Amino acid sequence: MGDPGKVALVTGGSRGIGRAVVERLIEDGHDVAYCSRSLPGDAGALERLAADHSTRVLGTALDVTDEKAVRTFVEDTEERLGPVGVVVTSAGVVRDGPLATMTTEAWHEVVDTNLTGTFHVCRAAVFPLMRHRRGSIVTISSVAGLRGSASQTNYSASKAGITGFTKSLANEVARFGIRANVVAPGLIATDMTDGLSDKARAQLLAKIPLGRAGTVREVADTVAFLASDRAGYITGQVIGIDGGVSN
Ligand code: NDP
């Protein structure tokens, strides 16, 4: 059997924060299986990065709301790369708008992807982790899950749910040597925040003590730390990466 610390599984790995996490974990020597609904056009760049670090990377197109596809993804990863030791759930979407006019579909799309998708992935992966008696799970929440965020009731609810889910999971699996932590980014420059109007961006920036948006690499560095044995005594925590917004 391979080293269960070496294989990492990342959702939402095609772009943004998830992509940076895939790269960072490869650089740390992990074999990485990632998924997203569509695979990146430059998947070859990840393969070259993995080859440079003598690791392997596998991309799979799937929707995290599809529980059967998620189970198959976890099983295939173990079969092809070996026992999974690190799980990072970054797949997420926004569909902002005031509650008064929010459609049921917009509610479900966000909650089903962000929260139920996290549940699907963690549930499929937790039994293998328990069997190997080690592992690190890192879920991606948001400052919007810690504080109110107008026009984001669906998104905030999903992200607050991820925090409660992960803290409960941390207590449940600690005796198996598994840690579970939450990363809660603030404003990070990705496709998700590209669509913000100049006015909305300026308003958000004005509230950030460090006065700038964060980078995907800054989030990935923290995720990689939590995934590693250097964070061996940290579990059930929510780590804000937000330039001080949630302080
Ligand atoms: P991006 O929009 O840049 O990337 C989202 C990723 O998730 C893509 O890989 C996307 O690929 C994938 N994805 C979306 N829906 C699904 C699905 N149903 N099944 C599988 N994969 C899916 O977002 P970010 O990188 O900015 O965000 C990553 C995470 O960080 C999200 O959970 C987000 O909520 C959170 N976050 C982001 C912040 C920011 O400022 N950017 C702030 C706080 C939290 P595809 O579309 O091909 O499926």
Side-chain angles (χ1 to χ4, degrees), residues 10-108:
V10 181
T11 71
S14 64
R15 293 185 276 119
I17 291 170
R19 167 73 175 242
V21 169
V22 171
E23 292 171 357
R24 186 67 179 74
L25 291 175
I26 289 172
E27 289 163 17
D28 272 1
H30 292 278
D31 291 328
V32 181
Y34 70 92
C35 71
S36 42
R37 286 166 301 181
S38 51
L39 293 179
D42 65 342
L46 288 176
E47 279 156 27
R48 285 191 294 281
L49 183 70
D52 287 348
H53 289 82
S54 304
T55 69
R56 293 170 292 173
V57 64
L58 297 175
T60 303
L62 69 86
D63 191 321
V64 293
T65 64
D66 179 344
E67 60 178 307
K68 193 157 173 276
V70 167
R71 275 200 192 281
T72 305
F73 172 54
V74 174
E75 285 164 12
D76 282 355
T77 300
E78 290 237 314
E79 210 173 292
R80 296 172 70 184
L81 297 181
V84 172
V86 172
V87 176
V88 182
T89 58
S90 188
V93 290
V94 281
R95 267 188 77 177
D96 296 350
L99 181 65
T101 54
M102 184 175 288
T103 62
T104 305
E105 192 221 338
W107 173 268
H108 278 299

Coordinates of all heavy atoms in Angstrom, one line a residue, residues 10-108:
V10 N -8.9 17.0 -4.7 CA -9.3 18.4 -4.7 C -10.5 18.6 -5.6 O -10.4 18.3 -6.7 CB -8.1 19.3 -5.2 CG1 -8.5 20.8 -5.1 CG2 -6.8 19.1 -4.3
T11 N -11.5 19.2 -5.0 CA -12.7 19.5 -5.9 C -12.5 21.0 -6.4 O -11.9 21.8 -5.7 CB -14.0 19.4 -5.2 OG1 -14.2 20.4 -4.2 CG2 -14.1 18.0 -4.6
G12 N -13.1 21.3 -7.5 CA -13.0 22.6 -8.1 C -11.6 23.0 -8.5 O -11.2 24.1 -8.4
G13 N -10.9 22.0 -8.9 CA -9.4 22.2 -9.2 C -9.1 22.8 -10.5 O -7.9 22.9 -10.8
S14 N -10.1 23.1 -11.4 CA -9.7 23.6 -12.7 C -9.3 25.0 -12.7 O -8.6 25.4 -13.6 CB -10.9 23.4 -13.7 OG -12.0 24.2 -13.2
R15 N -9.8 25.8 -11.8 CA -9.6 27.2 -11.8 C -9.5 27.8 -10.4 O -9.8 27.1 -9.4 CB -10.9 27.9 -12.4 CG -11.1 27.6 -13.8 CD -12.3 28.5 -14.4 NE -13.6 27.8 -14.1 CZ -14.5 28.4 -13.4 NH1 -14.4 29.6 -12.9 NH2 -15.7 27.7 -13.2
G16 N -9.0 29.1 -10.3 CA -9.1 29.8 -9.1 C -8.4 29.2 -7.9 O -7.3 28.7 -8.1
I17 N -9.0 29.2 -6.8 CA -8.4 28.7 -5.6 C -8.0 27.2 -5.7 O -7.0 26.8 -5.3 CB -9.3 29.0 -4.3 CG1 -9.4 30.5 -4.1 CG2 -8.8 28.3 -3.1 CD1 -10.4 31.0 -3.1
G18 N -9.0 26.5 -6.2 CA -8.8 25.0 -6.3 C -7.6 24.7 -7.1 O -6.8 23.8 -6.8
R19 N -7.4 25.4 -8.2 CA -6.3 25.2 -9.2 C -5.0 25.5 -8.4 O -4.0 24.8 -8.5 CB -6.5 26.1 -10.4 CG -5.3 26.2 -11.3 CD -5.0 25.0 -12.1 NE -3.9 25.2 -13.0 CZ -4.0 25.1 -14.3 NH1 -5.2 24.8 -14.9 NH2 -3.0 25.3 -15.1
A20 N -5.0 26.6 -7.7 CA -3.7 27.0 -6.9 C -3.4 25.9 -5.9 O -2.3 25.6 -5.6 CB -3.9 28.3 -6.3
V21 N -4.5 25.3 -5.3 CA -4.3 24.3 -4.3 C -3.7 23.0 -5.0 O -2.7 22.4 -4.4 CB -5.6 23.9 -3.6 CG1 -5.5 22.7 -2.7 CG2 -6.1 25.1 -2.7
V22 N -4.2 22.7 -6.1 CA -3.6 21.5 -6.9 C -2.1 21.8 -7.1 O -1.3 20.9 -6.8 CB -4.4 21.3 -8.2 CG1 -3.7 20.3 -9.1 CG2 -5.8 20.9 -8.0
E23 N -1.8 22.9 -7.6 CA -0.4 23.2 -7.9 C 0.5 23.2 -6.7 O 1.5 22.6 -6.7 CB -0.3 24.6 -8.6 CG -0.9 24.7 -10.0 CD -1.0 26.1 -10.5 OE1 -0.7 27.1 -9.8 OE2 -1.5 26.2 -11.7
R24 N 0.0 23.8 -5.6 CA 0.7 23.8 -4.3 C 1.0 22.4 -3.8 O 2.1 22.1 -3.3 CB 0.0 24.7 -3.4 CG 0.7 25.0 -2.1 CD 1.9 25.9 -2.3 NE 2.6 26.2 -1.1 CZ 3.3 25.4 -0.3 NH1 3.4 24.1 -0.8 NH2 3.8 25.7 0.8
L25 N -0.1 21.6 -3.8 CA 0.1 20.2 -3.3 C 1.0 19.4 -4.2 O 1.8 18.6 -3.6 CB -1.3 19.6 -3.2 CG -2.2 20.2 -2.1 CD1 -3.6 19.5 -2.1 CD2 -1.6 20.0 -0.7
I26 N 1.0 19.6 -5.5 CA 2.0 18.9 -6.3 C 3.4 19.4 -5.9 O 4.3 18.5 -5.8 CB 1.7 19.3 -7.8 CG1 0.4 18.6 -8.3 CG2 2.9 18.9 -8.7 CD1 0.0 19.0 -9.7
E27 N 3.6 20.7 -5.7 CA 4.9 21.2 -5.3 C 5.3 20.6 -4.0 O 6.5 20.4 -3.8 CB 4.9 22.7 -5.3 CG 4.8 23.4 -6.6 CD 4.4 24.8 -6.6 OE1 4.5 25.4 -5.5 OE2 3.9 25.3 -7.6
D28 N 4.4 20.2 -3.1 CA 4.7 19.6 -1.8 C 4.9 18.1 -2.0 O 5.1 17.4 -1.0 CB 3.6 19.8 -0.8 CG 3.8 21.1 -0.1 OD1 4.7 21.9 -0.3 OD2 2.9 21.5 0.8
G29 N 4.8 17.6 -3.2 CA 5.1 16.2 -3.5 C 3.9 15.2 -3.4 O 4.1 14.0 -3.4
H30 N 2.7 15.8 -3.5 CA 1.5 15.0 -3.5 C 1.2 14.5 -4.9 O 1.3 15.3 -5.9 CB 0.3 15.7 -2.9 CG 0.3 16.0 -1.5 ND1 0.0 15.2 -0.5 CD2 0.7 17.2 -0.8 CE1 0.1 15.7 0.7 NE2 0.6 16.9 0.5
D31 N 0.6 13.3 -5.0 CA -0.1 12.9 -6.2 C -1.5 13.5 -6.0 O -2.1 13.4 -4.9 CB -0.3 11.4 -6.3 CG 1.1 10.7 -6.6 OD1 1.9 11.3 -7.3 OD2 1.3 9.6 -6.1
V32 N -2.1 14.1 -7.1 CA -3.3 14.9 -6.9 C -4.4 14.4 -7.9 O -4.1 14.4 -9.1 CB -3.1 16.4 -7.0 CG1 -4.4 17.2 -6.8 CG2 -2.0 16.9 -6.0
A33 N -5.6 14.1 -7.4 CA -6.7 13.9 -8.3 C -7.7 15.1 -8.0 O -8.0 15.4 -6.9 CB -7.4 12.6 -7.9
Y34 N -8.0 15.8 -9.1 CA -8.9 16.9 -9.0 C -10.1 16.8 -9.9 O -10.1 16.0 -10.8 CB -8.2 18.3 -9.3 CG -7.8 18.5 -10.7 CD1 -8.7 19.1 -11.6 CD2 -6.6 18.0 -11.2 CE1 -8.4 19.3 -12.9 CE2 -6.3 18.2 -12.6 CZ -7.2 18.8 -13.4 OH -6.9 19.0 -14.7
C35 N -11.2 17.5 -9.6 CA -12.4 17.4 -10.4 C -13.0 18.8 -10.5 O -12.7 19.7 -9.7 CB -13.4 16.5 -9.8 SG -14.2 17.1 -8.3
S36 N -13.8 19.0 -11.6 CA -14.6 20.1 -11.8 C -15.6 19.7 -12.9 O -15.3 18.7 -13.5 CB -13.8 21.4 -12.2 OG -12.8 21.0 -13.2
R37 N -16.6 20.5 -13.2 CA -17.6 20.1 -14.2 C -16.9 20.0 -15.6 O -17.2 19.1 -16.4 CB -18.8 21.0 -14.2 CG -19.7 20.8 -13.0 CD -20.7 21.9 -12.9 NE -20.0 23.2 -12.8 CZ -20.5 24.4 -12.6 NH1 -21.9 24.5 -12.6 NH2 -19.8 25.5 -12.5
S38 N -16.0 21.0 -15.8 CA -15.3 20.9 -17.1 C -13.8 20.9 -16.8 O -13.4 21.6 -15.8 CB -15.6 22.0 -18.0 OG -15.6 23.2 -17.4
L39 N -13.0 20.3 -17.6 CA -11.5 20.3 -17.3 C -10.9 21.5 -17.9 O -11.3 22.0 -18.9 CB -10.9 19.0 -17.8 CG -11.4 17.7 -17.0 CD1 -10.8 16.5 -17.6 CD2 -11.1 17.8 -15.6
P40 N -9.8 22.0 -17.3 CA -9.1 23.2 -17.8 C -8.5 22.9 -19.2 O -8.0 21.8 -19.5 CB -8.0 23.5 -16.8 CG -7.8 22.2 -16.1 CD -9.0 21.4 -16.1
G41 N -8.5 23.9 -20.1 CA -7.9 23.8 -21.4 C -6.4 23.5 -21.3 O -5.9 22.8 -22.2
D42 N -5.8 24.0 -20.3 CA -4.3 23.8 -20.1 C -4.0 22.7 -19.1 O -3.0 22.9 -18.3 CB -3.7 25.1 -19.8 CG -4.1 25.6 -18.4 OD1 -5.1 25.1 -17.9 OD2 -3.4 26.4 -17.8
A43 N -4.8 21.6 -19.1 CA -4.5 20.5 -18.1 C -3.1 20.0 -18.3 O -2.5 19.5 -17.3 CB -5.5 19.4 -18.3
G44 N -2.5 20.2 -19.5 CA -1.2 19.7 -19.7 C -0.2 20.4 -18.8 O 0.9 19.8 -18.5
A45 N -0.5 21.7 -18.5 CA 0.5 22.4 -17.7 C 0.6 21.8 -16.3 O 1.7 21.7 -15.7 CB 0.0 23.9 -17.5
L46 N -0.5 21.3 -15.8 CA -0.5 20.6 -14.5 C 0.3 19.3 -14.6 O 1.0 18.9 -13.7 CB -1.9 20.3 -14.0 CG -2.8 21.5 -13.5 CD1 -4.2 21.1 -13.2 CD2 -2.1 22.2 -12.3
E47 N 0.1 18.6 -15.7 CA 0.8 17.3 -15.9 C 2.3 17.6 -16.0 O 3.1 16.9 -15.4 CB 0.4 16.6 -17.2 CG -0.9 15.9 -16.9 CD -1.7 15.6 -18.2 OE1 -1.1 15.6 -19.3 OE2 -3.0 15.5 -18.1
R48 N 2.7 18.7 -16.6 CA 4.2 19.1 -16.7 C 4.7 19.4 -15.3 O 5.8 19.0 -14.9 CB 4.4 20.2 -17.7 CG 4.3 19.8 -19.1 CD 4.8 20.8 -20.1 NE 4.0 22.0 -20.1 CZ 2.8 22.1 -20.7 NH1 2.3 21.1 -21.4 NH2 2.1 23.3 -20.6
L49 N 3.9 20.2 -14.5 CA 4.3 20.5 -13.1 C 4.5 19.2 -12.3 O 5.4 19.1 -11.5 CB 3.2 21.4 -12.5 CG 3.5 21.9 -11.1 CD1 4.7 23.0 -11.1 CD2 2.3 22.6 -10.4
A50 N 3.5 18.3 -12.5 CA 3.6 17.1 -11.7 C 4.9 16.3 -12.1 O 5.6 15.8 -11.2 CB 2.3 16.2 -11.9
A51 N 5.1 16.2 -13.4 CA 6.3 15.5 -13.9 C 7.6 16.1 -13.3 O 8.5 15.4 -12.9 CB 6.4 15.5 -15.4
D52 N 7.6 17.5 -13.2 CA 8.8 18.2 -12.7 C 9.0 17.8 -11.2 O 10.1 17.9 -10.7 CB 8.6 19.7 -12.7 CG 8.7 20.2 -14.1 OD1 9.2 19.5 -15.0 OD2 8.3 21.4 -14.4
H53 N 7.9 17.5 -10.5 CA 8.0 17.1 -9.1 C 7.9 15.6 -8.8 O 7.7 15.2 -7.7 CB 6.9 17.9 -8.3 CG 7.2 19.4 -8.2 ND1 6.9 20.2 -9.2 CD2 7.9 20.1 -7.3 CE1 7.3 21.5 -8.9 NE2 7.9 21.4 -7.7
S54 N 8.0 14.9 -9.9 CA 7.9 13.4 -9.8 C 6.7 12.9 -9.1 O 6.7 12.0 -8.2 CB 9.2 12.8 -9.1 OG 10.3 13.2 -9.7
T55 N 5.5 13.6 -9.4 CA 4.3 13.2 -8.8 C 3.3 13.0 -10.0 O 3.7 13.2 -11.2 CB 3.7 14.3 -7.9 OG1 3.3 15.4 -8.7 CG2 4.6 14.7 -6.8
R56 N 2.1 12.6 -9.7 CA 1.1 12.4 -10.8 C -0.1 13.3 -10.5 O -0.5 13.6 -9.4 CB 0.6 10.9 -10.7 CG 1.7 10.0 -11.1 CD 1.3 8.5 -10.9 NE 1.2 8.2 -9.4 CZ 0.8 7.1 -8.9 NH1 0.3 6.2 -9.7 NH2 0.7 6.9 -7.6
V57 N -0.8 13.7 -11.6 CA -2.0 14.4 -11.5 C -3.1 13.9 -12.4 O -2.8 13.5 -13.5 CB -1.8 16.0 -11.7 CG1 -1.3 16.2 -13.1 CG2 -3.0 16.8 -11.3
L58 N -4.3 13.8 -11.9 CA -5.4 13.2 -12.7 C -6.6 14.2 -12.6 O -7.0 14.6 -11.5 CB -5.9 11.9 -12.1 CG -5.0 10.7 -12.1 CD1 -5.6 9.5 -11.4 CD2 -4.6 10.3 -13.6
G59 N -7.1 14.6 -13.7 CA -8.3 15.5 -13.7 C -9.5 14.7 -14.2 O -9.4 13.9 -15.1
T60 N -10.7 14.9 -13.5 CA -11.9 14.2 -13.8 C -13.0 15.2 -13.9 O -13.2 16.1 -13.0 CB -12.3 13.2 -12.7 OG1 -11.2 12.3 -12.6 CG2 -13.5 12.4 -13.1
A61 N -13.8 15.1 -15.0 CA -15.0 16.0 -15.2 C -16.2 15.5 -14.4 O -16.6 14.4 -14.8 CB -15.3 16.3 -16.6
L62 N -16.6 16.1 -13.4 CA -17.8 15.6 -12.7 C -18.4 16.8 -11.9 O -17.8 17.8 -11.6 CB -17.5 14.5 -11.8 CG -16.7 14.7 -10.5 CD1 -17.5 15.2 -9.3 CD2 -16.0 13.4 -10.1
D63 N -19.7 16.6 -11.6 CA -20.4 17.6 -10.8 C -20.5 17.1 -9.4 O -21.0 16.0 -9.2 CB -21.8 17.7 -11.5 CG -22.6 18.9 -10.9 OD1 -22.5 19.2 -9.7 OD2 -23.3 19.6 -11.7
V64 N -20.1 17.9 -8.4 CA -20.1 17.4 -7.0 C -21.5 17.2 -6.5 O -21.7 16.6 -5.4 CB -19.3 18.3 -6.1 CG1 -17.8 18.3 -6.4 CG2 -19.9 19.8 -6.1
T65 N -22.5 17.7 -7.2 CA -23.9 17.4 -6.7 C -24.4 16.0 -7.1 O -25.4 15.5 -6.6 CB -24.9 18.4 -7.3 OG1 -25.0 18.2 -8.7 CG2 -24.6 19.9 -7.0
D66 N -23.6 15.3 -7.9 CA -23.9 13.9 -8.3 C -23.2 13.0 -7.4 O -22.0 12.7 -7.5 CB -23.4 13.8 -9.8 CG -23.7 12.4 -10.3 OD1 -23.9 11.4 -9.5 OD2 -23.6 12.2 -11.5
E67 N -23.9 12.4 -6.4 CA -23.3 11.7 -5.3 C -22.6 10.4 -5.9 O -21.6 10.0 -5.4 CB -24.2 11.4 -4.2 CG -25.4 10.6 -4.5 CD -26.3 10.3 -3.2 OE1 -25.7 9.8 -2.2 OE2 -27.5 10.6 -3.2
K68 N -23.2 9.8 -6.9 CA -22.7 8.6 -7.4 C -21.3 8.9 -8.2 O -20.3 8.1 -8.0 CB -23.7 8.0 -8.4 CG -23.4 6.6 -8.9 CD -24.6 5.8 -9.4 CE -24.2 4.5 -9.9 NZ -23.8 4.6 -11.4
A69 N -21.3 9.9 -8.9 CA -20.1 10.3 -9.6 C -19.0 10.6 -8.6 O -17.8 10.3 -8.8 CB -20.3 11.5 -10.5
V70 N -19.3 11.2 -7.5 CA -18.3 11.6 -6.5 C -17.8 10.3 -5.8 O -16.6 10.2 -5.6 CB -19.0 12.5 -5.4 CG1 -18.1 12.6 -4.2 CG2 -19.2 13.9 -6.0
R71 N -18.6 9.3 -5.6 CA -18.2 8.1 -5.0 C -17.2 7.4 -6.0 O -16.1 6.9 -5.6 CB -19.3 7.1 -4.7 CG -20.0 7.3 -3.4 CD -20.8 6.1 -3.0 NE -21.7 6.5 -1.8 CZ -21.3 6.5 -0.6 NH1 -20.0 6.3 -0.3 NH2 -22.1 6.8 0.4
T72 N -17.6 7.4 -7.2 CA -16.7 6.7 -8.2 C -15.4 7.5 -8.3 O -14.3 6.8 -8.4 CB -17.4 6.8 -9.6 OG1 -18.7 6.1 -9.5 CG2 -16.6 6.1 -10.7
F73 N -15.4 8.8 -8.2 CA -14.2 9.6 -8.3 C -13.2 9.2 -7.1 O -12.0 9.0 -7.3 CB -14.6 11.1 -8.2 CG -13.5 12.1 -8.0 CD1 -12.4 12.1 -8.9 CD2 -13.5 13.0 -7.0 CE1 -11.4 13.0 -8.8 CE2 -12.4 13.9 -6.8 CZ -11.4 13.9 -7.7
V74 N -13.8 9.1 -5.9 CA -12.9 8.7 -4.8 C -12.4 7.3 -5.0 O -11.2 7.0 -4.8 CB -13.7 8.8 -3.5 CG1 -12.9 8.3 -2.3 CG2 -14.1 10.3 -3.2
E75 N -13.2 6.4 -5.4 CA -12.8 5.0 -5.6 C -11.7 4.9 -6.7 O -10.7 4.2 -6.5 CB -14.0 4.1 -6.0 CG -14.9 3.8 -4.8 CD -16.3 3.2 -5.3 OE1 -16.4 2.9 -6.5 OE2 -17.2 3.2 -4.4
D76 N -11.9 5.6 -7.8 CA -10.9 5.6 -8.9 C -9.6 6.2 -8.4 O -8.5 5.7 -8.8 CB -11.4 6.4 -10.1 CG -12.5 5.7 -10.9 OD1 -12.7 4.5 -10.6 OD2 -13.0 6.3 -11.8
T77 N -9.7 7.2 -7.6 CA -8.5 7.9 -7.1 C -7.6 6.9 -6.3 O -6.4 6.8 -6.5 CB -8.8 9.1 -6.3 OG1 -9.5 10.1 -7.1 CG2 -7.5 9.8 -5.8
E78 N -8.3 6.2 -5.4 CA -7.6 5.2 -4.6 C -7.0 4.1 -5.5 O -5.9 3.6 -5.2 CB -8.5 4.6 -3.5 CG -8.9 5.7 -2.5 CD -8.6 5.2 -1.1 OE1 -8.9 4.1 -0.7 OE2 -8.0 6.0 -0.3
E79 N -7.8 3.7 -6.5 CA -7.3 2.6 -7.3 C -6.1 3.0 -8.2 O -5.2 2.3 -8.3 CB -8.5 2.2 -8.3 CG -8.5 0.8 -8.7 CD -9.7 0.4 -9.5 OE1 -10.8 0.5 -8.8 OE2 -9.6 0.2 -10.7
R80 N -6.2 4.3 -8.7 CA -5.1 4.7 -9.6 C -3.9 5.3 -8.9 O -2.8 5.2 -9.4 CB -5.7 5.7 -10.6 CG -6.8 4.9 -11.5 CD -7.5 5.9 -12.4 NE -6.7 6.5 -13.4 CZ -7.1 7.4 -14.3 NH1 -8.3 7.9 -14.2 NH2 -6.3 7.9 -15.2
L81 N -4.2 6.1 -7.8 CA -3.0 6.8 -7.2 C -2.6 6.2 -5.8 O -1.5 6.4 -5.3 CB -3.4 8.3 -7.0 CG -3.7 9.1 -8.3 CD1 -4.0 10.5 -7.9 CD2 -2.4 9.0 -9.2
G82 N -3.6 5.5 -5.2 CA -3.3 4.9 -3.9 C -4.2 5.6 -2.8 O -5.0 6.4 -3.1
P83 N -4.0 5.2 -1.5 CA -4.8 5.7 -0.5 C -4.8 7.2 -0.3 O -3.7 7.8 -0.2 CB -4.3 5.0 0.8 CG -3.0 4.4 0.4 CD -2.9 4.2 -1.1
V84 N -6.0 7.8 -0.3 CA -6.1 9.2 -0.1 C -5.8 9.7 1.3 O -6.3 9.0 2.3 CB -7.5 9.7 -0.6 CG1 -7.8 11.1 -0.3 CG2 -7.8 9.4 -2.0
G85 N -5.0 10.7 1.4 CA -4.7 11.3 2.8 C -5.1 12.7 3.0 O -5.2 13.2 4.1
V86 N -5.4 13.4 1.8 CA -5.7 14.8 1.9 C -7.0 15.1 1.1 O -7.0 14.6 -0.1 CB -4.6 15.7 1.4 CG1 -5.0 17.2 1.3 CG2 -3.3 15.5 2.3
V87 N -8.0 15.8 1.6 CA -9.2 16.1 0.9 C -9.4 17.6 1.0 O -9.4 18.1 2.1 CB -10.4 15.3 1.4 CG1 -11.7 15.8 0.7 CG2 -10.2 13.8 1.3
V88 N -9.6 18.3 -0.2 CA -9.8 19.7 -0.2 C -11.0 20.0 -1.0 O -11.1 19.6 -2.2 CB -8.6 20.5 -0.7 CG1 -8.9 22.0 -0.7 CG2 -7.3 20.2 0.0
T89 N -12.0 20.6 -0.4 CA -13.3 20.9 -1.2 C -13.4 22.4 -1.5 O -13.7 23.2 -0.7 CB -14.5 20.5 -0.3 OG1 -14.5 21.2 0.9 CG2 -14.5 19.0 0.0
S90 N -13.0 22.7 -2.8 CA -13.1 24.1 -3.2 C -14.2 24.4 -4.2 O -14.4 25.5 -4.5 CB -11.7 24.4 -3.8 OG -11.6 25.8 -4.0
A91 N -14.8 23.3 -4.7 CA -15.9 23.6 -5.7 C -17.0 24.5 -5.1 O -17.5 24.2 -4.0 CB -16.5 22.3 -6.2
G92 N -17.3 25.5 -5.8 CA -18.3 26.4 -5.3 C -18.8 27.4 -6.3 O -18.1 27.6 -7.3
V93 N -20.0 27.9 -6.1 CA -20.6 28.8 -7.0 C -21.3 29.9 -6.2 O -21.7 29.8 -5.1 CB -21.7 28.2 -7.9 CG1 -21.0 27.2 -9.0 CG2 -22.7 27.4 -7.1
V94 N -21.6 31.0 -6.9 CA -22.4 32.1 -6.3 C -23.6 32.4 -7.3 O -23.4 32.2 -8.5 CB -21.6 33.5 -6.2 CG1 -20.8 33.4 -4.9 CG2 -20.8 33.8 -7.4
R95 N -24.7 32.7 -6.7 CA -25.8 33.3 -7.5 C -26.5 34.3 -6.7 O -27.5 34.0 -6.0 CB -26.8 32.2 -7.9 CG -26.5 31.6 -9.3 CD -27.5 30.7 -9.8 NE -28.6 31.3 -10.4 CZ -29.6 30.7 -11.0 NH1 -29.5 29.3 -11.1 NH2 -30.7 31.3 -11.4
D96 N -25.9 35.5 -6.7 CA -26.3 36.5 -5.7 C -27.6 37.2 -6.1 O -27.9 37.3 -7.3 CB -25.2 37.6 -5.7 CG -23.9 37.1 -5.1 OD1 -23.9 35.9 -4.6 OD2 -22.9 37.8 -5.1
G97 N -28.3 37.7 -5.2 CA -29.5 38.5 -5.4 C -30.3 38.6 -4.1 O -30.1 37.8 -3.2
P98 N -31.1 39.7 -4.0 CA -31.9 39.8 -2.8 C -32.8 38.7 -2.5 O -33.3 38.1 -3.5 CB -32.6 41.1 -3.0 CG -32.5 41.5 -4.4 CD -31.4 40.7 -5.0
L99 N -33.1 38.4 -1.3 CA -33.9 37.2 -0.9 C -35.3 37.4 -1.5 O -35.9 36.4 -2.0 CB -34.0 37.1 0.6 CG -34.9 35.9 1.1 CD1 -34.3 34.6 0.7 CD2 -35.1 36.0 2.6
A100 N -35.8 38.6 -1.5 CA -37.2 38.8 -2.0 C -37.4 38.3 -3.4 O -38.6 37.9 -3.8 CB -37.6 40.3 -1.9
T101 N -36.4 38.3 -4.2 CA -36.6 37.9 -5.6 C -35.7 36.6 -5.9 O -35.6 36.2 -7.1 CB -36.2 39.0 -6.6 OG1 -34.9 39.4 -6.3 CG2 -37.1 40.1 -6.5
M102 N -35.2 36.0 -4.9 CA -34.3 34.8 -5.2 C -35.2 33.6 -5.6 O -36.2 33.3 -5.0 CB -33.5 34.4 -3.9 CG -32.6 33.3 -4.2 SD -31.6 33.0 -2.7 CE -30.5 34.4 -2.7
T103 N -34.8 33.0 -6.7 CA -35.6 31.8 -7.1 C -35.2 30.6 -6.3 O -34.1 30.5 -5.8 CB -35.3 31.5 -8.6 OG1 -33.9 31.2 -8.8 CG2 -35.6 32.7 -9.5
T104 N -36.1 29.7 -6.3 CA -35.8 28.4 -5.6 C -34.6 27.7 -6.3 O -33.7 27.1 -5.6 CB -37.0 27.5 -5.6 OG1 -38.1 28.2 -5.1 CG2 -36.8 26.2 -4.8
E105 N -34.5 27.9 -7.6 CA -33.4 27.3 -8.3 C -32.1 27.9 -7.9 O -31.1 27.2 -7.7 CB -33.7 27.5 -9.8 CG -32.8 26.7 -10.7 CD -32.4 27.6 -11.9 OE1 -33.0 28.6 -12.2 OE2 -31.3 27.2 -12.5
A106 N -32.0 29.2 -7.7 CA -30.8 29.9 -7.3 C -30.4 29.4 -5.9 O -29.2 29.2 -5.6 CB -30.9 31.4 -7.4
W107 N -31.4 29.2 -5.1 CA -31.1 28.7 -3.7 C -30.5 27.3 -3.8 O -29.4 27.1 -3.2 CB -32.4 28.7 -2.9 CG -32.2 28.0 -1.6 CD1 -32.4 26.6 -1.3 CD2 -31.7 28.6 -0.4 NE1 -32.1 26.4 0.0 CE2 -31.7 27.5 0.6 CE3 -31.4 29.8 0.0 CZ2 -31.2 27.7 1.9 CZ3 -30.9 30.1 1.3 CH2 -30.9 29.0 2.3
H108 N -31.1 26.4 -4.6 CA -30.7 25.1 -4.6 C -29.3 24.9 -5.3 O -28.5 24.1 -4.9 CB -31.7 24.2 -5.3 CG -32.8 23.7 -4.3 ND1 -32.5 23.0 -3.2 CD2 -34.1 24.0 -4.3 CE1 -33.6 22.8 -2.5 NE2 -34.6 23.4 -3.1

